Amino acid sequence: MMLRSARRSIALAATAATAALLLTACGGGSGARGADGRLNVVASFYPLQYLAEQIGGGHLNVTDLTADGTEPHDLELTPRQVGTVQEAGVILYLKGLQPTVDKAVEQASSKHVVDATAASPLVDHHLDEGAAEDSAGHVHPGAAGDPHIWLDPSRYAAVARSVGAELARADPANAAEYGANTEALVGRLTALDQSFRAGLASCRSTAFVTSHAAFGYLADHYGLEQIAINGVDPESEPTPSRLADIQQAAKTHDVSTIFFEALVSPKLAQSVARDLGLRSAVLDPLEGVKDPAADDYFSIMRQNLTNLQTALGCTS
């Protein structure tokens, strides 16, 4: 873990230095608007990209720093991406999730920056019934708190309002449209929240087992219990004692399904499911989407609801 952190620090310094040289060579010109006159917006990963696109309509050029279908936690920015962040008209990020993005934002010149954690402060969701550890014994989720606020539609709505307000400040000529689009999006999120409340109101069980501790906010909001094999870092490795705890918890809570996520190998979750004679299924943390043209936040969240209802034996 220490070696990994050292490598990341070196990479951050080298990337920042290279980006500075690139900007100097380009004369430090403003990239707040594109050649088409639209406002340039940088989003650090999919949930923030989606908000920008839904609220901005046709008035924005939105760049997502995290490529489609990739896991965002370990993103390393290229020098070109750092330059894009530093010259963007508006920056949308979630502080603490992606260290290279945090560093680039610190060096950026934009006056219009939205940190999602300011709209929805993070909670440190300690894992129930033990904690997942990596091979070095470090416990996750970590002191910074659980970043997965977008999986609670009400928290995501608060971030949407923050994004809409900042876009209006950055581009007053289109403020009315940003405001209307924000309210429409918040309305859809409110309806989604109501669907989850109704769909999870009457279930045989309220506990679910997932490979990645991404669903703490969702569980808290709907009165469920998340039992996670791994911590908030999806690549952390559970200890043998943690796996034994998971197996016991699954039996105690009469769990029917072990959930895995879309962007990380399902092998561990499927192995636990086989050992216990249980099903396995996807519960998508929506950190990234493989094909945004086919699926989006709402379609994936509705599928998550369906999969939870099946696993928990819900009757509504």
Side-chain angles (χ1 to χ4, degrees):
M1 180 64 71
M2 291 179 64
L3 180 59
R4 179 180 176 186
S5 297
R7 286 199 300 265
R8 173 171 284 170
S9 297
I10 293 170
L12 280 169
T15 299
T18 305
L21 289 173
L22 287 174
L23 289 175
T24 301
C26 294
S30 172
R33 291 188 180 273
D36 56 6
R38 295 190 294 181
L39 188 65
N40 288 335
V41 175
V42 168
S44 60
F45 70 129
Y46 173 77
L48 295 176
Q49 173 201 359
Y50 186 74
L51 292 184
E53 291 174 343
Q54 295 299 302
I55 295 170
H59 301 298
L60 310 179
N61 296 312
V62 181
T63 299
D64 185 357
L65 297 175
T66 305
D68 292 344
T70 61
E71 207 283 327
H73 288 267
D74 291 326
L75 174 68
E76 297 290 349
L77 296 182
T78 66
R80 184 176 296 277
Q81 286 178 309
V82 173
T84 299
V85 172
Q86 291 178 345
E87 291 209 317
V90 178
I91 302 168
L92 312 177
Y93 81 121
L94 196 157
K95 188 174 183 179
L97 178 66
Q98 298 162 299
T100 55
V101 175
D102 292 356
K103 187 68 174 180
V105 172
E106 289 174 6
Q107 300 170 346
S109 60
S110 178
K111 298 178 181 178
H112 301 287
V113 178
V114 175
D115 171 12
T117 69
S120 181
L122 303 188
V123 174
D124 191 6
H125 285 120
H126 293 287
L127 301 183
D128 293 327
E129 303 173 24
E133 299 177 353
D134 61 24
S135 58
H138 296 98
V139 179
H140 300 276
D146 179 356
H148 302 89
I149 51 179
W150 59 92
L151 292 171
D152 174 348
S154 66
R155 285 177 172 269
Y156 197 42
V159 179
R161 290 190 185 280
S162 182
V163 170
E166 197 61 44
L167 290 176
R169 284 189 285 268
D171 185 20
N174 295 301
E177 186 172 343
Y178 297 143
N181 290 346
T182 298
E183 291 310 309
L185 180 57
V186 168
R188 294 180 66 195
L189 289 169
T190 301
L192 179 66
D193 182 25
Q194 293 169 346
S195 294
F196 266 81
R197 286 188 181 279
L200 299 172
S202 180
C203 304
R204 176 182 55 80
S205 174
T206 58
F208 62 96
V209 176
T210 176
S211 62
H212 175 197
F215 300 93
Y217 295 104
L218 184 150
D220 286 352
H221 195 57
Y222 300 112
L224 305 179
E225 179 182 354
Q226 171 185 242
I227 303 170
I229 299 173
N230 280 333
V232 168
D233 180 349
E235 295 181 0
S236 60
E237 291 293 334
T239 62
S241 63
R242 178 59 183 165
L243 288 176
D245 289 342
I246 291 296
Q247 292 179 346
Q248 183 57 51
K251 293 176 182 177
T252 299
H253 294 285
D254 194 22
V255 169
S256 68
T257 305
I258 307 295
F259 286 114
F260 61 91
E261 63 178 89
L263 300 182
V264 176
S265 172
K267 291 181 179 179
L268 178 60
Q270 290 174 339
S271 175
V272 173
R274 282 195 302 271
D275 289 345
L276 295 173
L278 304 178
R279 297 189 298 270
S280 59
V282 172
L283 195 61
D284 196 327
L286 266 161
E287 294 173 338
V289 176
K290 291 181 179 179
D291 184 4
D295 290 299
D296 66 4
Y297 176 86
F298 285 96
S299 66
I300 293 172
M301 283 293 284
R302 284 192 290 268
Q303 187 60 55
N304 280 345
L305 174 56
T306 297
N307 291 350
L308 280 170
Q309 288 175 305
T310 299
L312 298 177
C314 304
T315 57
S316 54

